[in-house]
Amino acid sequence: MQATSKRQLIKAVAALGISTATFAFLVPQAFAQSKEIIYQTFLDPNNSKDPRSAAQTKMVDAFQAKYPDIKVKFLVDPTGQTASRAIKSGSQTPDVIRVVGFAVSEFAATGNLLELDDLVKKDGIPDEDWLLPLSGTKVAGKLYALPQDFRIPILFYRKSLLEKAGVKPPTTWDEVCATGAKFGESDTIPFAVPLGATGGLGGAQSLGEFFLSTMLPGNGGEYFTTDGKIAFSKESFIKAAQTIKDFYTKCKVTPLRSAQMGFNEVHDAIRSGSAAMAVFGLYRYKTVKQQGGGDDLAWAPAPGYTANDKQTVYSYNIAINKKTANQDAAWTFVKFMVSPEAQAFAAEGGEVVSRKSAYTAPYFQSDAGKDQKQWADLVAERGQTVAYTPILSTYHTILGEAFQRMILKDGSPADAYDELIERYGAALAKAQ
């Protein structure tokens, strides 16, 4: 059909006495071939119940309207494993991927992500127009991905359950511990601490993301070195491990069944009201609210050792497959997806978008955008970025298993640390 249309156009041009070469010069779009790029994302455009999916569809539709010669096809990849295998194997597709911030170093280590420093500089994308500096996204001084949002842990809580127990949203870990006695014997989980592996990219991701990536480096400290070695101290690990073990034991705020919980189970527990509190991802707040939390769901800044501790922030980033045959089209798409125009759509799905200038959109002046604006302020005030290991899924698996043994078999934090150091060191050496 396309070839027939082109022949008909050439005949029409010839009848007018215009050479096809001249016409092609004057109207190059007439002879342009549409390019197709494959966009890997964990958001299913057919999922009408997820506001983030609806926002993503609006973004891509706006891109298609602006660039009709670039066709975008979705590769829905909820766990990211398909993209991971493709990048590690050097496949040409997908052309563009969404990669979680703490996995960028793992993907970059393959050599199959496109470096973006020169493209960002050439197109004048301003470094100052981000909630946090782009330097926090770099791996070994090079930019491989651009942040689409910033994510900081927050405390989800059910207002009715806290009111019934006479509890205020805790601001410190000591205050979390003290709530256990106030809830007493109940089927409700007062404070969920997930050690399980469901719903993440591998291992006990929720434990690492919401707790340990903040607790282990501390305020302004390091998590990993650029070559993947552990940079946090034994003292900080033992302190964090003892704090979490106490939630399960001494504090009686986290029942043992939480040890098997991961992303999915915490989501469902907060949604259904079977958990009163959890430190969870702000990117799921709007979804949980719509799925059952309603007006009973509220949030507060995540607790810390002190009420003003820094919280580790990460992003979902957009990156380009270095092996793509459509680099120019892929870059055009990536630029659009991090533009203030596209991010105004992303915000409607509940994301704390990364570009400062996006916050001038009318949405942020409405009640619907109020929480996200406050989260953006929280990111700017208490957010910090850290370096992650290139074998993060393996690290999270080792970490989760060590914590489960410590709690379910009454092991010590020191033993958990020794297990982590031995198994992680062997895994890192094998990977290198």
Side-chain angles (χ1 to χ4, degrees):
M1 180 65 73
Q2 188 176 10
T4 302
S5 298
K6 186 181 291 185
R7 283 196 296 271
Q8 291 173 342
L9 182 59
I10 290 172
K11 287 179 181 179
V13 170
L16 293 173
I18 303 173
S19 73
T20 55
T22 301
F23 186 77
F25 173 76
L26 294 173
V27 191
Q29 294 85 349
F31 294 92
Q33 293 291 319
S34 293
K35 291 184 177 180
E36 180 180 277
I37 60 171
I38 296 176
Y39 176 43
Q40 174 271 340
T41 172
F42 66 90
L43 295 172
D44 184 351
N46 296 314
N47 184 357
S48 60
K49 294 182 179 180
D50 189 342
R52 296 177 298 167
S53 296
Q56 175 182 256
T57 298
K58 286 185 179 181
M59 295 166 76
V60 174
D61 286 349
F63 173 81
Q64 299 274 216
K66 197 168 187 176
Y67 300 97
D69 292 329
I70 302 176
K71 304 303 178 186
V72 180
K73 289 186 69 175
F74 289 100
L75 170 62
V76 180
D77 181 19
T79 66
Q81 294 303 311
T82 301
S84 179
R85 286 192 296 269
I87 295 299
K88 288 176 181 178
S89 66
S91 174
Q92 282 191 320
T93 58
D95 305 274
V96 178
I97 64 172
R98 289 196 79 189
V99 53
V100 67
F102 39 74
V104 172
S105 58
E106 185 174 353
F107 280 64
T110 67
N112 292 328
L113 286 188
L114 186 69
E115 292 181 28
L116 303 179
D117 296 87
D118 290 342
L119 292 170
V120 166
K121 184 176 180 181
K122 186 185 95 168
D123 285 334
I125 297 177
D127 187 58
E128 68 277 4
D129 190 30
W130 307 84
L131 290 183
L132 293 175
L134 278 180
S135 58
T137 309
K138 291 187 175 185
V139 176
K142 295 179 181 179
L143 189 66
Y144 293 98
L146 296 177
Q148 291 183 283
D149 54 59
F150 283 105
R151 300 177 171 204
I152 190 169
I154 58 172
L155 182 75
F156 284 43
Y157 66 93
R158 299 297 294 254
K159 290 186 286 189
S160 61
L161 295 176
L162 266 63
E163 288 170 4
K164 182 178 179 182
V167 168
K168 293 182 178 179
T171 63
T172 67
W173 297 132
D174 285 341
E175 289 179 7
V176 170
C177 182
T179 64
K182 296 182 180 179
F183 277 92
E185 295 295 327
S186 170
D187 290 335
T188 301
I189 298 172
F191 183 73
V193 180
L195 308 184
T198 62
L201 300 178
Q205 182 192 322
S206 49
L207 174 67
E209 178 182 338
F210 303 135
F211 293 88
L212 297 183
S213 66
T214 287
M215 296 170 83
L216 296 183
N219 292 329
E222 291 185 282
Y223 202 19
F224 289 90
T225 64
T226 54
D227 57 358
K229 293 179 180 176
I230 286 174
F232 54 83
S233 68
K234 180 177 181 178
E235 290 74 20
S236 69
F237 181 92
I238 289 176
K239 182 179 181 181
Q242 188 63 59
T243 299
I244 289 174
K245 185 179 181 182
D246 285 348
F247 292 157
Y248 280 89
T249 55
K250 182 181 74 174
C251 307
K252 292 184 171 45
V253 71
T254 307
L256 288 178
R257 65 182 183 275
S258 287
Q260 303 302 325
M261 296 175 74
F263 270 103
N264 296 346
E265 291 83 2
V266 172
H267 182 114
D268 288 342
I270 290 291
R271 175 191 57 78
S272 65
S274 61
M277 296 181 287
V279 175
F280 209 48
L282 51 76
Y283 46 87
R284 292 201 183 198
Y285 184 78
K286 181 172 283 191
T287 303
V288 173
K289 202 171 184 70
Q290 290 184 356
Q291 290 181 350
D295 292 338
D296 192 43
L297 184 69
W299 71 274
Y305 292 117
T306 73
N308 296 311
D309 276 359
K310 290 288 186 181
Q311 295 285 335
T312 290
V313 171
Y314 76 97
S315 304
Y316 247 97
N317 302 272
I318 191 165
I320 297 174
N321 182 350
K322 191 175 182 179
K323 304 292 186 180
T324 177
N326 300 304
Q327 182 177 315
D328 289 344
W331 173 238
T332 300
F333 180 67
V334 166
K335 277 192 302 182
F336 179 82
M337 293 296 276
V338 297
S339 69
E341 175 187 354
Q343 292 213 318
F345 291 123
E348 295 176 12
E351 302 285 13
V352 178
V353 295
S354 57
R355 297 289 292 270
K356 289 180 181 177
S357 53
Y359 287 88
T360 60
Y363 171 78
F364 290 105
Q365 314 309 314
S366 68
D367 289 341
K370 181 177 64 175
D371 284 329
Q372 286 145 272
K373 183 64 175 68
Q374 291 178 337
W375 295 335
D377 293 339
L378 190 64
V379 168
E381 292 167 7
R382 291 182 58 183
Q384 67 176 9
T385 56
V386 297
Y388 295 92
T389 169
I391 57 167
L392 191 73
S393 296
T394 301
Y395 164 75
H396 280 156
T397 298
I398 296 169
L399 199 66
E401 290 173 356
F403 267 70
Q404 285 189 339
R405 266 188 279 276
M406 177 185 70
I407 291 166
L408 299 178
K409 296 188 176 182
D410 196 25
S412 71
D415 287 342
Y417 178 79
D418 290 342
E419 178 182 344
L420 173 67
I421 293 300
E422 180 180 351
R423 293 181 61 194
Y424 177 76
L428 184 63
K430 184 178 180 180
Q432 294 174 336

